[in-house]
Amino acid sequence: MPTFKKIAAILNPAAPHMVGDGFRVHNFFPSGYKIKMDPFYLLDYNAKIEFSPTNKLRGVGVHPHRGFETVTIAYQGAVAHHDSAGNSGVIYPGDVQWMTAASGILHKEYHEENFSKKGGTFQMVQLWVNLPAKYKMSTPKYQALANNNIAKHKLPNNGGLIEVIAGEYLGTKGSASTFTPIELYTLKLKTGTKVILTSPANYNTALVVIEGSISVNDTEQAATNQMVHFTNDGSEIAIEAKEDSVVLFLSGEPINEPIAQYGPFLMNKPEELQQAIEDYNTGKFGYLEE
């Protein structure tokens, strides 16, 4: 008989810091809280913030990555992306950009030009998803997931919908391809809607309340900008929206391999980090104009 995953903690966002001049983020892990979330290595949450109009493109200039994937989910605002593999695009509210850095890539991320000129509300999530050792040096790739191409599961009684970015919810298969089993959804719930989410007991699992407030497992309340972290037991999570709410659900099978991390490189051994630095310094990540 299925049992609820126990709530390990309800976490408030850590103090914000700037990434470049375009992203004011609260890091939930690994620096904000030391929680077990493998295969997810990092979660930066750009809580809702107002940006004033400017002709300058705010963001992060050219920088490298190796050994993992970046997943950027837009809730409000717009971000433009360019990388050294020739990929580029803009994500708007509801869109997802899934970049597999793998063997190495250069990229840059900026507020989209029209958004910068007009200013407005900005709200994003970025995840770093680790890659198993056997895939760390695979060919980089890019998945541009426009919202109208993201699989959606409509909830009964006009209760809202679940956007299945990766994984599967009640037969609705996610739009992104992944290297390891991952469930990644955005839940858009009307007041009073109840849903049951499932994932295996050994998966590392969390919720982030993007908007609104929810009850979890009929025992705890979580409000806007809070994260709910679960223990590794049980297979079900019960959510009820106390008001119209948007919730990010992430759950994944742990890779359980050693991690060596330095800046934008996420490898298994220190010597692999040294190799990554050498390869970057000798131009093996390609070229990207600032």
Side-chain angles (χ1 to χ4, degrees):
M1 183 135 180
T3 56
F4 285 149
K5 286 182 177 289
K6 293 184 177 67
I7 297 169
I10 295 180
L11 307 173
N12 291 317
H17 66 276
M18 293 300 296
V19 177
D21 62 358
F23 305 94
R24 190 196 69 170
V25 303
H26 306 267
N27 181 264
F28 274 108
F29 59 85
S31 60
Y33 295 94
K34 302 301 181 185
I35 58 176
K36 189 166 65 171
M37 281 301 297
D38 177 17
F40 308 102
Y41 181 78
L42 172 148
L43 192 156
D44 272 345
Y45 174 47
N46 192 130
K48 195 182 292 182
I49 184 175
E50 295 294 320
F51 279 102
S52 58
T54 180
N55 288 320
K56 179 181 182 293
L57 294 183
R58 299 184 178 102
V60 184
V62 175
H63 59 285
H65 288 304
R66 172 178 279 182
F68 65 101
E69 304 180 285
T70 65
V71 180
T72 306
I73 306 169
Y75 290 103
Q76 299 200 55
V79 169
H81 162 94
H82 293 82
D83 68 40
S84 56
N87 301 302
S88 64
V90 177
I91 53 172
Y92 299 98
D95 299 344
V96 177
Q97 168 193 291
W98 197 301
M99 185 187 78
T100 304
S103 62
I105 205 166
L106 305 176
H107 82 143
K108 58 183 179 180
E109 301 162 284
Y110 288 95
H111 293 191
E112 186 271 333
E113 186 175 3
N114 288 329
F115 175 82
S116 292
K117 288 178 178 177
K118 293 178 181 178
T121 307
F122 193 84
Q123 188 180 30
M124 303 264 165
V125 167
Q126 186 170 95
L127 293 163
W128 288 13
V129 180
N130 194 17
L131 290 172
K134 63 182 177 180
Y135 296 124
K136 282 190 179 291
M137 295 300 289
S138 58
T139 302
K141 68 174 186 174
Y142 179 78
Q143 299 176 76
L145 303 174
N147 187 258
N148 58 7
N149 292 325
I150 292 175
K152 297 174 179 65
H153 185 97
K154 291 185 178 180
L155 298 169
N157 304 315
N158 293 316
L161 57 84
I162 296 179
E163 296 178 348
V164 187
I165 301 165
E168 183 174 344
Y169 177 78
L170 296 181
T172 300
K173 294 185 178 180
S175 305
S177 65
T178 65
F179 287 82
T180 60
I182 287 172
E183 305 293 326
L184 187 64
Y185 320 149
T186 292
L187 291 72
K188 297 181 176 178
L189 307 176
K190 298 294 186 184
T191 304
T193 297
K194 299 179 180 179
V195 296
I196 299 287
L197 303 176
T198 63
S199 65
N202 69 312
Y203 279 31
N204 292 319
T205 304
L207 303 169
V208 180
V209 182
I210 306 296
E211 298 280 354
S213 59
I214 59 174
S215 73
V216 183
N217 294 349
D218 300 320
T219 59
E220 302 277 357
Q221 307 280 323
T224 303
N225 299 340
Q226 289 185 317
M227 171 182 280
V228 185
H229 183 230
F230 296 89
T231 61
N232 294 102
D233 57 3
S235 59
E236 292 189 347
I237 298 168
I239 298 173
E240 180 179 358
K242 294 304 185 183
E243 56 187 307
D244 288 358
S245 298
V246 178
V247 180
L248 176 65
F249 171 70
L250 55 154
S251 186
E253 182 178 65
I255 297 170
N256 290 328
E257 291 179 348
I259 287 178
Q261 182 262 333
Y262 175 77
F265 306 128
L266 188 58
M267 305 303 289
N268 299 104
K269 302 172 183 177
E271 54 265 35
E272 293 170 340
L273 294 177
Q274 291 298 325
Q275 187 65 54
I277 294 167
E278 182 180 330
D279 289 348
Y280 168 62
N281 287 334
T282 55
K284 292 182 180 176
F285 284 42
Y287 174 76
L288 183 63
E289 187 176 346
E290 284 283 358

